[in-house]
Amino acid sequence: MMGDFCDIFTAAMSSSHPPPFKKAVATRYIMAAAQNPLLERSLQMMECTMQLALSSEDKLVVELSWNVFDAWSANYDHFESFFSIKKISTLLQNVFQNPANVVAMIAKVLERTKSTSNHCYEDLCSTCARNIAGFVEHNPRYDALSKLCVLIHAFPEVLPKDERLSYFCMSLIKSISQFKPPGRPIDVIDYIATVPRVFSPLLVNSWKIGGFNLCRLCLETVFELISAPINEDRTVSLALGAVINIFPGALMESSIEEIAHDTLVSDNTLLNTLRHMINWLAWPNIKIISSWTNYFLDCLDIAERYDLLDRIAMESVPKLVDRLKSRNMRKSNFEVLEFLLKRYQHSEIPFHAILEKVSAIYSSVTESTAEGKEFLSRFSELLRFLVRLHRRPADSYEPILKLIGTEAVSDDIFESFRALAWMKKRIVQKSCSVLMAKKSFAEKTGLQNDHNTCFLNSVIQAFYMCDNLVEQLLTTKFPRNAVTLTSIQLLFAFLRFSKRSSINCDWFEKEATPSSFIRGNQEDASELFNHLVDLLMEQEKLLPSEHFIFEGFYGSQNCISRCLSCGNEVSRRIPYAELSLHFKNGAALERTTASASKVSSSENSDDARCLLLEDMLSHYFEKEQLEGDCRYSCENCQSDQNGEKFVLMSETPKFLRITLNRFTYSDLVSCKIMTEVNIPRTVVLPLQREDDQSIDVFCLFAVIVHCGRNTNSGHYYCIARHPRIFDWTMVTELDVSTLDRNTDFFVDRWLKFDDETISNSSFDELSSRLGRTPYILLYSKVTDGIFSSSETGLCNLEARVPPDVMKEVETDNQKYLMEIESRNRLFSTRDVKPSKSNRWNNDDDDDGGPQPSNKFDEIPRMVY
């Protein structure tokens, strides 16, 4: 009977009966709900009406079902019994016809449980936080997600945490890009006002929680979306443009620079990106997009992507002019139009394409307003400049001369506008902008090698890639007597904020190297690394609470000696800063003698075989037998006995340093073991803490490579990447049983630091060949979560660096700019022919200047 009661309501709502009949049925069911029905009937009616409210396409049926549901859920006990955790999960995981009602229903549940049952409320919030990102991904609808943002504002506990927050933000951006505006004009007005007001604060708040990396990840998602071609099947909603202006300006600009100068990004990809950004300008009263669009165009000019600029100008100018008729679109679209026409001076085609539209634009502007007067003044000045620039017979411009007047643009204004032309800028302007763009794009400064300091440079550059440790070094105020700490802080500040492409660190060499090192000699990078870390750790003791050097590089291990006669054990816990791995007997040696070049047969022998790093680690932890002349002196037995000794890890550092002991002496001659070692991306170390056994997982992020035959000659360089997680689920759902040596947790974007030269590299370059052998390996602990940014993130790192440190860097940057200007003034006095690569320069241009070469493909790229 109960089933029939629900079936009757469903049949009535689904029937073809007129609306009055359906309203009457709904009224009878609402009255029945007031008669204290049994729990089972209440649950069935709530399920029945909920399904209709969520799935029906008839708006009247949805409204009536919602009203009946409210009546039958008035009893809180019945309501709480119905909305279990499983029910909430089902609502969020399934796709319904009316997802906005799902959000409204969950809001009602949270509101009622919050005031009556804290325990139930917390469980429901946790369930929502686990499933809400999937709901956002599968329901890209404005009505549903706008209500969801309001819900999160009212109940912040439902906002996902940790890695789910990243998934949520990226899903939200992707869903916003699929929004479709409402059909009714009155609803469109509300849509335009609501999108930035509701979604922008939610994203900003999420970035405050997730840090700079989350913000950058969201921006990469935006660029991924807008780089796709525009077609009927797939278009990026204008709503995304209304949200995009919340990204930090510095991050947006640096990302635009990266993309514009990356030679691996095709012209079509960049063209699609710019098309979307220009389409966003159709959103009423949008502001900052026009500035970023102009910045993008200027970066493309610096990158000498002339064909792309040609295409975007030709197709965009008519579109921008048409939008000038709308008061709400006029300001942002005119900023881009003015920018394009002032810089696109080599051809009159875009200007002539708008001539017939000028009269309609003047007619659409109200001159009585201050905004209208300012626009007409700027527009008329632009037209006068273009008329003088593209000289044609007088009657060609007669229609617009009647509007703007016959007064010519002044010589000063004309020359100032001429100086803005793409590919025709003054040498000092172009040279400075290219140098600045190149540095900010690379975000890396090289180290000069004046007297065999590659051993020092490679260690510094590997150290610099320890992101979180370097951030702490940069932002800590050190006492004056911590000389080495303050020196490396200043050095890292120069590497992070200097405008120079490379710097000289002779002053740091004096502070960081052991007294036994001889200036000008090639020294051992491993010995230097040990000395530097020990020195920094000793000075860290001067700080009251900071221990990031010790925690970053130092672990501890138990060295155990055991008597095999009585079983007595002696354990000593000692710290370590590196694992020094030795080659087993039989590894190939190459001697640095005149006869060494004659020895080539070893390359084909078993001695030259490839070793696995895991085997060398196993050898490190093997038990060593103490017997014969090396028997163990047992205190318990009071005599020498056969014994064994071995090592157990008790604590591991955040950054594990492994040195392959390739250098040795044979017959008093320096030798290098050339045996190739196959290096894994991931290393697992066992831990033994009292009776507790566990493991730590490490992922490779830096390798110092030695080229040459012995420790006193050759060359060092570093291959490294930032230890940044690309998929957090790999960490949070880590299953050791599925790990193998090729598992990679970090973004696979490697750089080669070769003194002052920084270029793209890859993991494959770490294989030994032609004397190039990996020597020092740096692994970052994955199971520690050290790669997640702090809440403040890196976007305001400069503000957190001690002022006296930043002052030194800024002073040098000012000196550098003066050097550039002085050098460019010297160039400007010479007769320099226009670059042949600049096909847009006319023969009569007298300021073409030298065209700097582009090497941006050698620098790390944004994921795009």
Side-chain angles (χ1 to χ4, degrees):
M1 294 297 294
M2 291 184 182
D4 294 340
F5 188 75
C6 298
D7 293 341
I8 293 172
F9 180 81
T10 302
M13 294 298 107
S14 304
S15 69
S16 58
H17 287 293
F21 172 80
K22 295 180 180 180
K23 290 180 181 179
V25 172
T27 301
R28 295 289 298 272
Y29 274 78
I30 291 173
M31 294 172 61
Q35 299 175 3
N36 296 321
L38 297 175
L39 172 62
E40 185 177 358
R41 171 164 288 187
S42 293
L43 295 180
Q44 288 186 348
M45 277 304 300
M46 281 191 280
E47 180 66 26
C48 166
T49 52
M50 182 188 74
Q51 292 297 330
L52 284 171
L54 298 181
S55 304
S56 177
E57 297 181 5
D58 189 327
K59 292 184 178 180
L60 177 63
V61 172
V62 171
E63 179 182 353
L64 295 176
S65 299
W66 190 254
N67 292 338
V68 175
F69 175 88
D70 282 343
W72 283 85
S73 62
N75 185 311
Y76 179 75
D77 292 334
H78 295 182
F79 178 85
E80 187 177 21
S81 298
F82 179 73
F83 278 109
S84 61
I85 290 176
K86 183 178 180 181
K87 178 68 70 178
I88 295 294
S89 297
T90 302
L91 287 175
L92 290 172
Q93 291 171 4
N94 292 340
V95 178
F96 294 97
Q97 180 69 29
N98 305 306
N101 285 348
V102 173
V103 180
M105 199 164 288
I106 291 176
K108 186 185 294 293
V109 172
L110 294 176
E111 184 177 358
R112 294 181 68 172
T113 55
K114 186 176 183 179
S115 59
T116 55
S117 174
N118 287 334
H119 178 71
C120 182
Y121 173 76
E122 291 173 359
D123 291 342
L124 291 174
C125 286
S126 298
T127 303
C128 291
R130 287 193 300 270
N131 295 280
I132 206 168
F135 177 84
V136 170
E137 182 181 15
H138 296 112
N139 295 279
R141 290 175 47 170
Y142 159 73
D143 56 346
L145 298 190
S146 59
K147 287 186 177 181
L148 180 65
C149 290
V150 174
L151 181 146
I152 294 174
H153 179 74
F155 307 101
E157 296 88 349
V158 306
L159 186 68
K161 305 296 190 298
D162 301 326
E163 75 281 1
R164 288 193 177 92
L165 183 60
S166 300
Y167 175 35
F168 169 79
C169 289
M170 289 188 291
S171 299
L172 182 59
I173 287 173
K174 291 177 181 178
S175 293
I176 292 174
S177 74
Q178 301 176 57
F179 281 359
K180 295 180 180 179
R184 297 190 306 169
I186 190 171
D187 293 335
V188 172
I189 295 174
D190 180 70
Y191 173 75
I192 291 171
T194 303
V195 167
R197 187 181 69 242
V198 171
F199 294 96
S200 298
L202 176 59
L203 285 170
V204 171
N205 183 56
S206 300
W207 297 341
K208 289 180 180 179
I209 298 171
F212 174 75
N213 284 345
L214 176 56
C215 182
R216 182 179 176 89
L217 191 62
C218 289
L219 184 56
E220 290 181 353
T221 303
V222 170
F223 278 122
E224 179 185 354
L225 291 168
I226 64 177
S227 64
I230 299 176
N231 53 56
E232 295 181 357
D233 298 331
R234 185 191 180 283
T235 58
V236 176
S237 171
L238 298 182
L240 186 59
V243 176
I244 197 75
N245 61 0
I246 60 177
F247 284 95
L251 172 62
M252 190 71 177
E253 290 177 3
S254 64
S255 300
I256 288 173
E257 289 174 12
E258 287 184 33
I259 296 166
H261 293 99
D262 192 338
T263 56
L264 298 181
V265 179
S266 68
D267 280 4
N268 284 336
T269 299
L270 293 173
L271 182 62
N272 293 329
T273 303
L274 275 166
R275 282 171 175 164
H276 279 105
M277 294 179 73
I278 290 174
N279 282 349
W280 286 341
L281 297 175
W283 188 275
N285 298 318
I286 202 164
K287 296 179 181 179
I288 202 167
I289 299 297
S290 57
S291 300
W292 286 342
T293 303
N294 293 343
Y295 190 74
F296 206 150
L297 293 168
D298 243 352
C299 288
L300 292 174
D301 169 44
I302 295 170
E304 300 180 347
R305 306 190 86 148
Y306 307 143
D307 289 337
L308 177 57
L309 288 170
D310 193 35
R311 293 169 65 185
I312 199 67
M314 289 294 185
E315 70 178 46
S316 298
V317 166
K319 186 184 301 183
L320 293 167
V321 170
D322 286 336
R323 294 177 188 160
L324 297 183
K325 300 173 187 177
S326 170
R327 179 175 174 271
N328 291 330
M329 301 181 195
R330 185 174 297 139
K331 183 176 181 180
S332 58
N333 283 272
F334 179 71
E335 286 178 356
V336 178
L337 176 68
E338 183 182 45
F339 187 90
L340 274 170
L341 292 177
K342 283 183 178 179
R343 286 156 177 79
Y344 194 85
Q345 297 181 17
H346 68 283
S347 171
E348 71 276 15
I349 295 176
F351 172 48
H352 287 176
I354 71 172
L355 289 178
E356 60 184 18
K357 302 179 181 181
V358 171
S359 178
I361 294 171
Y362 270 78
S363 301
S364 66
V365 179
T366 306
E367 297 185 23
S368 60
T369 64
E371 180 183 2
K373 289 180 180 179
E374 180 186 2
F375 166 75
L376 288 177
S377 175
R378 290 177 59 186
F379 192 39
S380 298
E381 186 177 63
L382 174 63
L383 292 174
R384 292 190 192 102
F385 164 71
L386 294 172
V387 166
R388 179 174 172 180
L389 177 67
H390 304 297
R391 298 184 180 183
R392 291 291 183 271
D395 57 350
S396 300
Y397 298 131
E398 186 175 349
I400 66 169
L401 288 175
K402 293 179 180 179
L403 297 170
I404 65 176
T406 57
E407 179 183 355
V409 65
S410 68
D411 291 339
D412 290 342
I413 293 177
F414 182 78
E415 292 302 325
S416 66
F417 285 3
R418 279 288 284 161
L420 297 174
W422 281 329
M423 283 70 65
K424 300 179 184 179
K425 299 177 183 178
R426 291 168 297 169
I427 295 173
V428 61
Q429 287 181 323
K430 187 160 187 179
S431 297
C432 287
S433 62
V434 171
L435 286 169
M436 294 306 104
K438 183 173 182 178
K439 167 57 186 155
S440 58
F441 167 68
E443 297 184 354
K444 298 288 181 294
T445 296
L447 294 172
Q448 297 168 12
N449 182 355
D450 293 335
H451 49 275
N452 288 336
T453 55
C454 59
F455 70 95
L456 172 65
N457 293 346
S458 60
V459 168
I460 293 171
Q461 288 162 329
F463 198 143
Y464 183 69
M465 299 301 278
C466 303
D467 284 346
N468 288 63
L469 182 57
V470 170
E471 182 183 352
Q472 290 175 294
L473 275 168
L474 282 172
T475 56
T476 302
K477 181 67 176 177
F478 297 115
R480 290 186 177 181
N481 53 345
V483 179
T484 310
L485 278 172
T486 54
S487 295
I488 200 169
Q489 180 186 52
L490 180 61
L491 176 60
F492 284 163
F494 271 104
L495 292 178
R496 180 69 176 83
F497 302 110
S498 176
K499 302 295 184 184
R500 299 180 185 272
S501 59
S502 63
I503 61 173
N504 190 305
C505 63
D506 283 354
W507 52 274
F508 183 73
E509 180 185 5
K510 299 174 183 177
E511 297 289 344
T513 55
S515 57
S516 59
F517 281 17
I518 300 174
R519 180 179 172 84
N521 281 8
Q522 177 70 283
E523 303 289 354
D524 185 6
S526 177
E527 183 180 353
L528 171 67
F529 214 139
N530 284 328
H531 175 79
L532 178 60
V533 170
D534 288 344
L535 195 59
L536 293 174
M537 194 269 289
E538 286 298 319
Q539 294 189 8
E540 189 181 45
K541 296 177 181 178
L542 300 172
L543 305 179
S545 59
E546 301 289 349
H547 304 290
F548 46 81
I549 296 293
F550 183 82
E551 294 172 356
F553 286 116
Y554 283 85
S556 61
Q557 56 190 12
N558 292 324
C559 295
I560 301 172
S561 300
R562 177 187 297 157
C563 176
L564 295 181
S565 177
C566 67
N568 181 50
E569 286 186 359
V570 176
S571 177
R572 291 183 301 117
R573 187 167 183 171
I574 59 174
Y576 67 92
E578 71 166 346
L579 295 185
S580 184
L581 304 185
H582 295 270
F583 288 79
K584 293 183 178 181
N585 293 332
L589 295 177
E590 285 207 16
R591 299 172 181 272
T592 313
T593 64
S595 61
S597 60
K598 301 179 182 179
V599 182
S600 60
S601 60
S602 61
E603 296 180 2
N604 299 320
S605 67
D606 292 338
D607 291 342
R609 67 188 182 279
C610 177
L611 299 179
L612 295 179
L613 183 71
E614 294 92 326
D615 293 338
M616 299 182 73
L617 283 169
S618 298
H619 180 59
Y620 181 86
F621 291 108
E622 280 181 0
K623 294 180 180 179
E624 179 184 352
Q625 298 303 312
L626 304 176
E627 51 191 20
D629 294 336
C630 300
R631 288 193 299 169
Y632 174 59
S633 179
C634 179
E635 296 180 359
N636 191 45
C637 297
Q638 298 292 316
S639 62
D640 293 342
Q641 300 289 340
N642 289 339
E644 61 183 9
K645 66 176 183 179
F646 53 94
V647 172
L648 294 177
M649 289 289 178
S650 53
E651 298 290 341
T652 57
K654 294 180 177 179
F655 300 103
L656 176 67
R657 180 159 51 95
I658 298 176
T659 300
L660 306 179
N661 266 334
R662 294 187 174 276
F663 301 114
T664 185
Y665 284 87
S666 178
D667 298 333
L668 302 179
V669 177
S670 173
C671 302
K672 178 180 176 181
I673 300 174
M674 302 301 293
T675 304
E676 180 177 355
V677 178
N678 194 305
I679 298 171
R681 294 174 183 264
T682 295
V683 164
V684 177
L685 288 185
L687 297 180
Q688 178 74 46
R689 300 185 183 98
E690 296 180 354
D691 295 331
D692 179 35
Q693 294 183 354
S694 60
I695 63 157
D696 272 340
V697 180
F698 294 83
C699 191
L700 183 72
F701 74 96
V703 178
I704 295 176
V705 179
H706 179 264
C707 306
R709 302 301 182 183
N710 67 9
T711 186
N712 299 320
S713 63
H715 178 64
Y716 288 99
Y717 62 87
C718 173
I719 294 178
R721 59 177 172 173
H722 290 284
R724 294 172 182 168
I725 291 293
F726 69 87
D727 184 357
W728 273 97
T729 58
M730 292 180 63
V731 178
T732 56
E733 301 174 8
L734 184 62
D735 184 358
V736 181
S737 63
T738 63
L739 285 179
D740 62 43
R741 64 195 321 272
N742 293 317
T743 301
D744 200 0
F745 293 88
F746 300 150
V747 177
D748 193 28
R749 191 183 303 158
W750 294 85
L751 299 175
K752 181 179 179 181
F753 297 85
D754 193 352
D755 294 328
E756 60 266 19
T757 303
I758 302 172
S759 59
N760 281 333
S761 186
S762 67
F763 179 78
D764 294 336
E765 286 197 32
L766 298 178
S767 60
S768 302
R769 58 185 184 274
L770 299 177
R772 297 193 297 269
T773 50
Y775 181 35
I776 301 173
L777 316 177
L778 281 173
Y779 285 83
S780 178
K781 190 189 294 186
V782 173
T783 46
D784 224 24
I786 59 170
F787 18 71
S788 58
S789 293
S790 59
E791 185 172 332
T792 53
L794 297 177
C795 53
N796 61 343
L797 179 61
E798 185 173 350
R800 295 184 285 133
V801 177
D804 56 328
V805 176
M806 282 307 305
K807 184 178 179 180
E808 288 202 43
V809 179
E810 290 167 358
T811 300
D812 183 72
N813 284 341
Q814 290 297 322
K815 179 181 177 182
Y816 177 53
L817 291 176
M818 293 174 64
E819 292 172 2
I820 293 175
E821 292 178 2
S822 176
R823 185 163 58 249
N824 286 325
R825 282 194 295 270
L826 177 63
F827 276 119
S828 64
T829 61
R830 301 176 180 177
D831 183 17
V832 182
K833 296 181 180 180
S835 169
K836 293 181 180 180
S837 64
N838 186 354
R839 61 177 181 84
W840 283 359
N841 276 343
N842 297 324
D843 294 338
D844 57 347
D845 292 332
D846 58 359
D847 57 350
Q851 303 296 317
S853 61
N854 250 332
K855 295 184 180 178
F856 292 101
D857 55 327
E858 299 178 354
I859 317 253
R861 300 182 295 115
M862 183 177 181
V863 176
Y864 192 58

